[in-house]
Amino acid sequence: MTDSDLLELEVGPVGHGGFCVARHEGLVVFVRHALPGELVRARVTEETRTYLRADAVEILRSSPDRVEPPCMFAGPGRCGGCDWQHATPAAQRALKADVVAEQLRRLAGIDRPVHVEEVPVPAVYTEDGEPLSAPPGFGWRTRVQFAVDPEGAVGLRKHRSHDLEYVDECLIAHPGVEMIGIERKRWPGASAVEGITSAATGDRLVVVSEPKGRRGRPPQVPQLDVPVRLVKPERPGQGPREGRRPVVPFVREEAAGRLWQVTGSGFWQVHPGAADKLADAVLEALQPKPGDIALDLYCGVGLFAGVLGERVGPRGLVVGVEAGGQAVRDAKFNLKDLPQVNIEQGKVEEVLAALEFGQSQGRSTARTQVKRGQEAGHRGGSRVRGADITVLDPPRAGAGEKVVDEIARRTNRKIAYVSCDPATLARDLKYFSARGWVLETLRAFDLFPNTSHVECVASLVRG
């Protein structure tokens, strides 16, 4: 590489996706490994008619927020798992706040200051009681998926690439994941290996995947450094007998004063402090009351349904909606002691359109129940078409206009929107605004330090 291959750039504001924005000869340049206000030399990694992508490879004038990335695998052209190791933790949170504010302003027409809250990682100890400490922003990720090459070597994907950066450790991985030793082993025949640990209970799980359509010898599992439960790929004829559901290992998580079963690669927040922090934020946003009817959409294994169920009490009702069959089974198991919580399986947009609520007077407690579709007769009780409060925690793609429309029509008092993508959150907030709902509060949490990701909880009320 020579000087003629490089661009000298004045780096501008942060953009959504782990880069900063610069300009060169009329083109926008998305620059990674840089910080606002810096002067850098950057190598172009992608070129289109309207923009360039580039990596800052030489810092000519550095930001006071710049630090040396502690990970030997971080940097231009290296591992794509982290975006901001070259910035202080405080600067990272400020960058994320700027991203959230800009997305709200540009996509939703909402102009308000944003503060991203730090979420500490609970202390970790060895079996002998010795502390395992990590610098701020590291040692938090309790679920890490590693890619495996055809020779069985383990790595992490490079940025916007299928190529691997071979690693023997990951600094953002939780110590419980690193104890397993996945990166330091060979995994012949596997395509991916996921290491999972529960920071609260110490449970450990390894999920092994193989290439689609693979035949012949199954993936070989090496001797690991600590005991784990193992999930291996299932092949035709190797599963349980017809009509029987396979038994998949799980980990036990602890949050909101309860134990939660999470099976296999089922969704659970990867930061050890996230579940408690988000549960508290949702309760603060919705202010549930005894007897309320609540919806928990994209409910996963039931975290928000559980905390809402405890607040609305036996005369209330919580309806959780989740598409994943295993997550629904976990949610029902986790919340079997709360009869006021009802878990429905299906796509949110389909289940929501079919839901009707009513109160059965068959018991002295007048226990609230839910019916769907043509079965919604509500004998002996009153029909209620809406919920008092709704929480939704959709995937990164957001809820979309169809789901927003159903929620806006069916919710009477408050909505809490939990989002891992400020762009789709802002888009959906605009949809809510068009239907008479306004943003009341917004909290943002740094649940993914050293990456570009940020979690938000927005509360909405009728305007």
Side-chain angles (χ1 to χ4, degrees):
M1 182 177 65
T2 66
D3 286 350
S4 61
D5 299 317
L6 302 178
L7 305 179
E8 186 170 304
L9 301 171
E10 285 277 357
V11 181
V14 64
H16 178 33
F19 55 81
C20 294
V21 181
R23 292 190 176 272
H24 176 75
E25 296 181 352
L27 290 177
V28 173
V29 187
F30 302 131
V31 193
R32 285 175 56 80
H33 310 289
L35 292 173
E38 292 188 327
L39 179 66
V40 305
R41 285 197 177 100
R43 181 177 60 243
V44 175
T45 58
E46 182 182 339
E47 186 172 354
T48 75
R49 290 182 178 180
T50 56
Y51 67 86
L52 305 175
R53 294 186 187 274
D55 285 344
V57 295
E58 185 180 355
I59 311 302
L60 304 176
R61 184 183 68 238
S62 66
S63 164
D65 294 323
R66 176 172 285 275
V67 295
E68 187 68 25
C71 176
M72 63 182 295
F73 306 111
R78 304 295 300 275
C79 175
C82 290
D83 304 294
W84 298 117
Q85 281 200 26
H86 56 286
T88 66
Q92 292 182 34
R93 293 191 293 274
L95 291 170
K96 295 180 185 188
D98 288 346
V99 168
V100 175
E102 191 271 338
Q103 295 295 303
L104 290 175
R105 185 168 53 250
R106 184 170 62 87
L107 298 177
I110 298 172
D111 192 359
R112 67 170 61 195
V114 176
H115 170 68
V116 175
E117 302 175 34
E118 181 182 9
V119 181
V121 177
V124 181
Y125 300 91
T126 67
E127 293 180 356
D128 298 327
E130 295 295 320
L132 291 173
S133 59
F138 295 89
W140 54 267
R141 192 173 184 94
T142 59
R143 293 163 177 257
V144 183
Q145 183 159 354
F146 300 93
V148 183
D149 73 8
E151 282 70 49
V154 170
L156 294 166
R157 301 285 183 195
K158 296 182 179 182
H159 181 64
R160 296 178 62 84
S161 172
H162 293 293
D163 294 341
L164 295 189
E165 177 73 30
Y166 296 101
V167 301
D168 57 16
E169 67 174 339
C170 175
L171 295 188
I172 64 171
H174 189 274
V177 172
E178 283 299 295
M179 287 177 188
I180 300 172
I182 292 171
E183 312 99 298
R184 298 177 288 280
K185 310 292 181 181
R186 289 274 173 169
W187 300 80
S191 60
V193 180
E194 184 178 11
I196 299 171
T197 189
S198 167
T201 67
D203 291 353
R204 284 185 285 264
L205 189 66
V206 169
V207 182
V208 182
S209 303
E210 64 179 348
K212 290 183 178 179
R214 176 183 168 84
R215 297 291 183 266
R217 190 174 183 182
Q220 299 175 45
V221 179
Q223 181 70 41
L224 298 174
D225 295 347
V226 292
V228 301
R229 302 187 75 185
L230 187 65
V231 180
K232 295 189 290 186
E234 191 176 297
R235 292 186 173 184
Q238 295 181 345
R241 295 178 182 176
E242 186 176 349
R244 293 189 179 182
R245 186 176 294 121
V247 177
V248 182
F250 58 86
V251 295
R252 297 163 301 158
E253 299 284 359
E254 188 174 332
R258 301 174 68 91
L259 276 175
W260 306 85
Q261 174 179 295
V262 185
T263 299
S265 290
F267 176 78
W268 186 260
Q269 291 285 344
V270 296
H271 190 293
D276 277 318
K277 182 66 71 173
L278 293 176
D280 289 344
V282 166
L283 290 176
E284 180 182 289
L286 292 179
Q287 296 292 307
K289 303 174 184 177
D292 272 351
I293 294 176
L295 285 173
D296 178 9
L297 307 179
Y298 313 92
C299 71
V301 301
L303 173 65
F304 299 138
V307 296
L308 290 172
E310 292 174 348
R311 290 296 183 93
V312 304
R315 295 183 64 85
L317 169 68
V318 179
V319 181
V321 182
E322 169 61 41
Q326 186 58 63
V328 167
R329 290 188 286 275
D330 282 346
K332 289 182 176 181
F333 174 82
N334 293 332
L335 305 175
K336 60 183 182 294
D337 63 315
L338 296 175
Q340 64 269 35
V341 177
N342 203 307
I343 306 297
E344 298 284 335
Q345 183 176 354
K347 294 181 178 179
V348 166
E349 59 270 26
E350 296 173 358
V351 175
L352 202 54
L355 280 178
E356 293 182 355
F357 310 100
Q359 289 190 320
S360 168
Q361 296 179 351
R363 296 184 181 179
S364 59
T365 58
R367 175 176 171 268
T368 314
Q369 63 180 6
V370 65
K371 300 288 185 181
R372 286 177 64 177
Q374 297 300 318
E375 300 176 359
H378 306 292
R379 293 174 297 173
S382 60
R383 176 174 293 181
V384 182
R385 291 237 176 228
D388 298 298
I389 52 179
T390 295
V391 58
L392 65 155
D393 185 7
R396 193 171 302 280
E401 190 168 13
K402 184 177 179 181
V403 171
V404 166
D405 187 63
E406 288 287 347
I407 296 170
R409 289 193 304 106
R410 288 178 171 272
T411 308
N412 297 324
R413 196 169 73 239
K414 277 200 166 189
I415 297 168
Y417 192 137
V418 183
S419 170
C420 61
D421 189 316
T424 55
L425 170 64
R427 178 204 67 197
D428 289 346
L429 289 179
K430 186 173 183 179
Y431 293 150
F432 276 113
S433 177
R435 289 154 177 81
W437 289 82
V438 297
L439 179 64
E440 182 183 39
T441 64
L442 178 77
R443 296 180 67 184
F445 303 98
D446 192 14
L447 301 184
F448 314 95
N450 288 299
T451 79
S452 62
H453 303 297
V454 60
E455 195 87 0
C456 295
V457 179
S459 68
L460 297 94
V461 294
R462 290 190 180 274

